[in-house]
């Protein structure tokens, strides 16, 4: 009898567990390593390989921020996440890094002949 009660009790928690899935808005691929933070009360977690995290600790939060390098940070309320059926889509952020040009030459060139700064990299 005790085992049956334990199984039913565990199954109830598993069924009622609320899991949020974080995906890329364009590709709909799950995003691994999304940092999920709430300030009031403070709680932080990270999405797993399936892009999922447990929602229960965030239900009383004022707002929830989701951050991932290469994506725009998004801040939602728990009600907004529930309205989206526990699925959050992140947009890629567009930022440019400075360009680097690497060229090779069999012959040594004089630094003064080059149009830009030239540094010699030696093999160790």
């Amino acid at each position: 009898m005790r085992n049956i009660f334990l199984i039913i009790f565990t199954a109830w928690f598993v069924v009622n567990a609320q899991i949020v899935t974080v995906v890329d808005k364009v590709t709909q691929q799950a995003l691994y390593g999304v940092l999920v933070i709430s300030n009031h009360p403070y709680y932080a977690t990270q999405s797993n390989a399936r892009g999922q995290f447990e929602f229960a600790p965030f239900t009383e939060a004022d707002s929830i921020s989701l951050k991932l390098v290469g994506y725009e940070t998004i801040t939602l309320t728990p009600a907004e996440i529930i309205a989206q059926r526990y699925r959050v889509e992140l947009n890629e952020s567009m930022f440019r890094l400075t360009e680097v040009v690497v060229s090779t030459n069999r012959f040594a060139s004089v630094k003064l002949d080059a149009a830009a700064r030239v540094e010699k990299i030696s093999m160790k």
Side-chain angles (χ1 to χ4, degrees):
M1 182 68 172
R2 178 184 268 181
N3 290 339
I4 293 172
F5 177 73
L6 183 62
I7 291 171
I8 292 172
F9 187 71
T10 305
W12 183 79
F13 273 110
V14 170
V15 169
N16 287 324
Q18 297 155 333
I19 303 296
V20 177
T21 304
V22 185
V23 297
D24 182 287
K25 189 170 188 171
V26 176
T27 64
Q28 296 298 305
Q29 294 288 322
L31 297 175
Y32 169 75
V34 176
L35 182 60
V36 184
I37 302 172
S38 70
N39 289 328
H40 302 287
Y42 178 78
Y43 190 77
T45 190
Q46 201 172 17
S47 65
N48 63 16
R50 295 181 190 150
Q52 299 174 335
F53 67 92
E54 188 175 337
F55 185 64
F58 296 99
T59 55
E60 300 297 321
D62 295 338
S63 63
I64 302 165
S65 296
L66 293 96
K67 303 176 181 186
L68 182 63
V69 175
Y71 288 86
E72 296 175 358
T73 299
I74 187 170
T75 302
L76 302 168
T77 64
E80 290 173 326
I81 292 175
I82 293 168
Q84 294 175 7
R85 297 182 180 160
Y86 301 101
R87 185 176 179 90
V88 177
E89 297 177 340
L90 293 184
N91 292 318
E92 283 189 73
S93 63
M94 299 297 169
F95 60 92
R96 290 187 160 237
L97 301 175
T98 57
E99 293 181 13
V100 176
V101 178
V102 178
S103 64
T104 60
N105 190 351
R106 288 180 180 250
F107 308 105
S109 61
V110 180
K111 288 184 181 180
L112 297 175
D113 294 339
R117 182 177 173 187
V118 176
E119 289 188 33
K120 184 178 179 182
I121 302 173
S122 60
M123 293 179 54
K124 293 182 179 181

